[in-house]
Amino acid sequence: MILRIVKGEYLKSLDNIIQWQEMDVFNHESVSQHSYKVAIFCRVLMEDLFKNVKPSEEVLAFKLAVVDAALLHDWDEIFIRRDISHETKYNDFNGTQIRDVLNEYVEHMVKNEFDTKEPFKSDEAGKFLYNSICRPLPIVKQVVKIGDWLALMYYIHREISLGNVSLKRNWTICVDGLVQAVIMLEDSLLKHSVWGWNKDINFKVLEDLKLWKECK
């Protein structure tokens, strides 16, 4: 599988797919660049969240699952062939249907691409790619969503600091999205008391994220 990834078009596609193509921006950002930031933010967030939690195999496995999902969270765009704007995917008219159809299509393509049709014929690497792209745990997706919003906000903050006022509306959208993502993760962490994490989780870092509203 590693040679298939190295020789394949996957990473080239992520380098060539540019985000914010529908917007006037100074600096264009590829999906590869965006995904790297998401992974970094998620990895550091994991250390902040679990700094008071006793290390265990379960905690380490969770951190690894988050990093895996963060690195691969936009691999769906390899098969869709482009980045689709937030306004399209989350529009009030049929955003839910659009996301459902895209997810169904991507899962179909990933299964075919990595030979993971049930019963699984692929090796462990193929299963890993399928599960990380299409089947991450809901709580893992929630952490990655926070990293995703932070990466978008990082980009917008940079653009606005350079004088691009056209993205100010997008900043507000990202602030609202980040707050909702944090609230959802807080709720999930509290409900996972069976892990024994909730009493030691550093929830302050999540509260601090919810307070980041100004773009200076």
Side-chain angles (χ1 to χ4, degrees):
M1 184 62 75
I2 184 60
L3 287 178
R4 186 171 179 178
I5 298 299
V6 171
K7 295 179 179 180
E9 300 291 317
Y10 313 107
L11 299 180
K12 185 187 298 184
S13 295
L14 295 178
D15 284 342
N16 290 331
I17 297 173
I18 304 299
Q19 298 187 315
W20 307 96
Q21 292 188 72
E22 71 279 8
M23 304 292 293
D24 289 328
V25 296
F26 296 131
N27 295 299
H28 292 283
E29 183 174 61
S30 71
V31 177
S32 293
Q33 292 172 302
H34 168 74
S35 295
Y36 177 74
K37 295 183 182 72
V38 174
I40 291 294
F41 294 149
C42 286
R43 185 67 187 87
V44 176
L45 178 58
M46 287 297 92
E47 293 307 305
D48 283 343
L49 275 176
F50 292 103
K51 69 176 185 178
N52 299 320
V53 177
K54 184 178 179 180
S56 67
E57 289 186 6
E58 192 173 39
V59 171
L60 290 175
F62 181 75
K63 290 180 179 180
L64 178 60
V66 167
V67 174
D68 290 344
L71 288 170
L72 294 163
H73 83 284
D74 271 345
W75 270 50
D76 59 337
E77 297 181 8
I78 293 173
F79 303 100
I80 298 172
R81 303 292 184 182
R82 65 154 293 146
D83 173 56
I84 297 180
S85 71
H86 181 275
E87 285 83 356
T88 298
K89 290 192 293 186
Y90 292 89
N91 78 82
D92 293 334
F93 173 60
N94 65 348
T96 300
Q97 293 94 319
I98 289 174
R99 295 195 303 276
D100 287 344
V101 169
L102 288 175
N103 290 337
E104 183 179 12
Y105 171 73
V106 168
E107 182 162 354
H108 166 76
M109 294 297 292
V110 170
K111 284 181 177 179
N112 286 334
E113 187 72 15
F114 301 119
D115 196 21
T116 58
K117 290 183 178 180
E118 296 181 3
F120 285 112
K121 300 177 183 177
S122 181
D123 57 16
E124 291 303 314
K127 295 176 187 177
F128 152 72
L129 289 167
Y130 170 75
N131 288 328
S132 297
I133 297 169
C134 302
R135 288 285 185 265
L137 291 173
I139 192 171
V140 169
K141 290 181 66 175
Q142 289 170 355
V143 177
V144 174
K145 194 61 183 176
I146 290 175
D148 197 13
W149 285 120
L150 290 174
L152 293 172
M153 293 172 74
Y154 181 91
Y155 174 83
I156 293 172
H157 188 283
R158 184 179 178 187
E159 281 287 306
I160 292 177
S161 71
L162 293 173
N164 187 349
V165 297
S166 68
L167 293 184
K168 286 188 175 180
R169 175 177 172 272
N170 299 81
W171 175 264
T172 301
I173 292 172
C174 288
V175 167
D176 293 340
L178 177 64
V179 170
Q180 291 304 311
V182 169
I183 290 172
M184 290 179 66
L185 179 61
E186 287 175 329
D187 183 61
S188 293
L189 289 170
L190 287 171
K191 288 179 178 178
H192 279 71
S193 58
V194 66
W195 293 345
W197 295 351
N198 57 343
K199 66 182 188 312
D200 295 322
I201 285 286
N202 176 25
F203 283 97
K204 184 180 182 304
V205 65
L206 297 179
E207 292 300 317
D208 289 344
L209 287 177
K210 289 192 290 187
L211 295 176
W212 186 28
K213 299 183 185 300
E214 295 184 359
C215 186
K216 294 182 178 180

